[in-house]
Amino acid sequence: MTTTETELNLITNITGEPYQPARLYYYVTNKKTVLGVFKKLKCLKFYKKSDRWYWLYEDEAKKIRFQQSYNKIPKEERPIPLAYFEFVSDNLMILEARSFQRIIEAAKFFNTRINWRAAEPVRLGIVNKLFGCSPEETPQPPNSFAEFFDQDDVVVYTPEELEEEIEEVIAQHETEEEKNKAVKAYMEEKSKQPLPEIEEIAISVHEEGLSILEMALRMKHIEAWEHWQGNKYFTQYDLIQSMIENMPDNQEKSEANLA
């Protein structure tokens, strides 16, 4: 475990990635079809006591690669749960996982197995921070993520809200050049704001949706990591600038200037 801020140990999962809660919301139109898929998969096991379907790192799922992948996990600790499904109602199902990587791997895995017409992931709740404990403590993750995602302070974003904000910016200018500059400045200023500790975002699994989501979560995780390392004022803007500077074309220009 790495240690920073007041020398706390970073809490990590047995698969190696930092503990960072995420909850995926599925809109369900055919619960019977979803349950049929669950019953066929060997890596899913229903626990009546908790009324949950646990996705195990076993059978069909064991090919997924983590920092500590399947073969590196001691046999006596297998199978480990990667996430679990829970039906909130006949039309709402949630998938909760202990890291961004697990939620992305789950979204990819089940996207090819659950027909989106039966159940489609539409929103994602995430915690934009990392967690630590003292060296003497044994981390005890909560039994559910209600303490994170069922609170009133969750910041909820919708595409419609962003569109309205951009339209307001555009309406203040006349020429296309002025509009483009204003929108660019607005988005740049927005990227300089720190991420909310807990947020809920709209997602899509169609076409390039999962790839876009994966990139977005990686960027949000990097900001959380920088904060954990002590860089408290690091934002998405800083990350974007770093990415631009490290693009091949810009590196070649820098090398040319040094020559």
Side-chain angles (χ1 to χ4, degrees):
M1 290 188 177
T2 58
T3 56
T4 52
E5 59 173 42
T6 66
E7 295 305 310
L8 293 177
N9 285 341
L10 178 67
I11 299 177
T12 59
N13 295 298
I14 192 171
T15 41
E17 76 283 3
Y19 171 78
Q20 199 168 7
R23 176 192 280 180
L24 192 57
Y25 295 86
Y26 283 77
Y27 174 62
V28 180
T29 53
N30 194 325
K31 183 177 178 181
K32 183 178 179 180
T33 297
V34 176
L35 289 174
V37 173
F38 285 179
K39 290 172 183 176
K40 289 180 182 178
L41 288 169
K42 294 179 181 178
C43 60
L44 276 172
K45 186 174 181 181
F46 181 69
Y47 285 83
K48 189 173 182 180
K49 185 176 181 180
S50 59
D51 198 25
R52 293 172 178 169
W53 287 87
Y54 279 83
W55 183 40
L56 306 176
Y57 200 13
E58 194 66 72
D59 296 300
E60 302 97 334
K62 68 182 182 182
K63 292 182 180 179
I64 297 172
R65 305 288 296 179
F66 293 95
Q67 184 177 334
Q68 294 291 330
S69 288
Y70 183 81
N71 290 332
K72 294 183 180 179
I73 296 173
K75 290 183 179 180
E76 61 271 17
E77 296 187 30
R78 299 180 200 160
I80 65 165
L82 293 175
Y84 60 80
F85 287 96
E86 183 177 333
F87 284 93
V88 178
S89 68
D90 287 343
N91 298 116
L92 177 62
M93 177 176 73
I94 60 174
L95 169 65
E96 294 190 334
R98 293 179 180 178
S99 73
F100 286 5
Q101 185 181 359
R102 288 187 182 187
I103 209 74
I104 283 293
E105 295 297 349
K108 290 178 180 177
F109 183 89
F110 291 101
N111 191 45
T112 61
R113 291 168 170 84
I114 301 176
N115 190 307
W116 67 269
R117 291 182 176 86
E120 180 178 15
V122 291
R123 301 195 64 79
L124 176 67
I126 52 178
V127 178
N128 291 310
K129 64 174 287 188
L130 301 182
F131 295 81
C133 63
S134 68
E136 297 78 24
E137 288 181 286
T138 300
Q140 296 292 335
N143 290 324
S144 79
F145 295 148
E147 65 180 73
F148 299 114
F149 302 118
D150 293 345
Q151 306 305 312
D152 295 332
D153 57 351
V154 177
V155 177
V156 180
Y157 291 113
T158 65
E160 293 77 17
E161 288 175 339
L162 180 59
E163 287 177 13
E164 288 177 7
E165 291 171 0
I166 291 176
E167 286 175 3
E168 289 178 7
V169 171
I170 291 175
Q172 299 173 29
H173 303 276
E174 296 182 359
T175 69
E176 285 300 314
E177 183 179 359
E178 289 175 338
K179 291 177 181 179
N180 290 336
K181 285 183 177 179
V183 171
K184 182 180 179 181
Y186 171 78
M187 296 304 293
E188 182 177 297
E189 189 59 34
K190 203 171 182 66
S191 71
K192 292 179 179 179
Q193 303 302 314
L195 294 172
E197 184 169 306
I198 305 174
E199 64 177 325
E200 186 181 309
I201 58 176
I203 67 164
S204 171
V205 295
H206 304 294
E207 297 179 350
E208 300 300 316
L210 281 179
S211 297
I212 294 170
L213 176 62
E214 184 172 14
M215 175 61 74
L217 290 188
R218 283 181 180 176
M219 293 176 69
K220 292 174 185 290
H221 173 74
I222 289 172
E223 180 171 327
W225 176 256
E226 289 290 335
H227 291 179
W228 172 263
Q229 295 286 70
N231 192 0
K232 297 296 184 183
Y233 300 103
F234 187 91
T235 64
Q236 296 292 284
Y237 175 80
D238 299 308
L239 176 56
I240 293 168
Q241 293 307 302
S242 176
M243 292 168 67
I244 292 173
E245 290 171 4
N246 286 289
M247 285 181 177
D249 288 347
N250 289 328
Q251 287 184 334
E252 289 174 7
K253 289 177 183 177
S254 299
E255 289 171 3
N257 291 334
L258 290 172

